[in-house]
Amino acid sequence: MYKQILARIRQGHRTIRFPKAVAPALPDRFRGRPCFDARLCRAECRAECRACSDACPVGAIDPLNKSIDLGKCIFCTDCMRACPGGAVAFSGDYRLAARSRRDLVITVDQETLILAQALDRRMKGLFGRSLKLRQVSAGGCGACEADVSVLGTIGWDWGRFGIQFVASPRHADGILVTGPVTKNMELALRKTWDAIPGPKIVIASGSCAIAGGPYAGHDQVLDGVESILPVDLYIPGCPPHPLTTLDGLLRLLGKIGRNGRVSRGD
């Protein structure tokens, strides 16, 4: 027993201190928010070049408006490699979650992303200290499911914010959906939603849950959860990094303000 106590003391504090401290360093290969350099995306490119949009496997880039839909983006970097002017790059910015679907569409000239805002006062009062979620894999490949499960480990410990997965929808405040919502999962998803007592929320995690991902347009998928349920939080990524998910949830609960700082009282 003494050896175990000594080993634990040597290990020290293992849970990240985010958001009260700076976010942990992300690996060099991490692909955060894609960015356009308007100066490099020359006037002639705006009118004629379609290299980035032609290379995108999920149709996330609109060549006419020179915009990219983060809800569709799978962060593959094909657009970056295809751009002849080097105007596309992927930053290390993990902050991607938004409350509105339209806020995920960013243009060449847009410098900032409209990040998720907190729930209204009533909903924040209900869920701000205790948010229980039922996770539904609606045809996912397992990547989003694996990365969101990491948040329950000692390194992330989202339980310290009152966030927890529960086994029964009867005990949940909402659902976190991954996967493109296959037709085989539609009924199960609807039944899960109906079993959750109101008021309740829906979180779409990953490009598949938001817009179908690489399966969009297939006759056996519904191209995301929004086709059948109202969504309160969109978390882009393929899969979303655990830090992206945690940041989005804490913003939804009002624990991180618009300025990125910890809200007073948390």
Side-chain angles (χ1 to χ4, degrees):
M1 179 177 177
Y2 291 110
K3 291 182 179 180
Q4 294 171 344
I5 294 174
L6 181 60
R8 184 66 187 89
I9 292 174
R10 287 174 176 172
Q11 289 173 0
H13 194 284
R14 300 179 65 186
T15 302
I16 63 169
R17 299 184 184 276
F18 177 82
K20 291 187 177 181
V22 295
L26 297 174
D28 293 338
R29 60 184 178 180
F30 171 73
R31 300 165 185 171
R33 176 193 163 187
C35 301
F36 288 96
D37 189 322
R39 295 173 299 175
L40 295 177
C41 190
R42 301 178 300 275
E44 59 267 27
C45 290
R46 289 176 183 268
E48 301 174 5
C49 182
R50 299 175 57 96
C52 58
S53 59
D54 289 344
C56 181
V58 290
I61 299 176
D62 182 343
L64 180 62
N65 297 315
K66 286 295 180 180
S67 63
I68 182 168
D69 186 343
L70 297 184
K72 293 181 178 180
C73 181
I74 58 173
F75 299 79
C76 64
T77 72
D78 284 358
C79 57
M80 181 178 71
R81 291 191 292 268
C83 180
V88 187
F90 283 77
S91 71
D93 193 348
Y94 59 86
R95 300 167 299 175
L96 301 171
R99 292 292 308 279
S100 170
R101 182 69 180 85
R102 63 179 176 271
D103 289 342
L104 294 179
V105 180
I106 57 176
T107 64
V108 168
D109 301 312
Q110 185 175 341
E111 296 182 357
T112 60
L113 182 67
I114 301 176
L115 299 175
Q117 298 180 11
L119 293 165
D120 61 51
R121 187 172 182 178
R122 175 174 175 269
M123 295 289 278
K124 189 169 67 172
L126 290 171
F127 304 142
R129 294 183 179 275
S130 177
L131 179 64
K132 309 304 181 186
L133 299 170
R134 179 69 173 95
Q135 200 275 314
V136 177
S137 178
C141 68
C144 290
E145 294 82 355
D147 273 17
V148 79
S149 295
V150 168
L151 291 166
T153 64
I154 190 173
W156 297 89
D157 188 23
W158 66 356
R160 60 198 161 113
F161 305 109
I163 308 171
Q164 180 184 359
F165 279 148
V166 293
S168 170
R170 299 291 186 188
H171 301 155
D173 301 311
I175 52 176
L176 186 148
V177 184
T178 56
V181 187
T182 61
K183 289 186 176 179
N184 283 341
M185 282 298 298
E186 179 183 4
L187 180 58
L189 183 57
R190 288 186 184 275
K191 285 187 173 182
T192 301
W193 172 250
D194 291 340
I196 299 173
K200 47 193 173 182
I201 62 175
V202 177
I203 299 167
S205 179
S207 60
C208 286
I210 295 174
Y215 309 103
H218 194 284
D219 60 4
Q220 289 301 311
V221 302
L222 301 179
D223 293 350
V225 64
E226 196 172 37
S227 61
I228 59 174
L229 297 176
V231 177
D232 297 281
L233 181 67
Y234 301 87
I235 307 176
C238 187
H241 191 278
L243 189 57
T244 301
T245 301
L246 185 59
D247 177 78
L249 287 170
L250 294 181
R251 290 179 186 277
L252 182 71
L253 298 177
K255 295 183 181 295
I256 297 180
R258 295 183 182 181
N259 57 6
R261 298 179 181 176
V262 178
S263 294
R264 186 174 299 176
D266 292 323

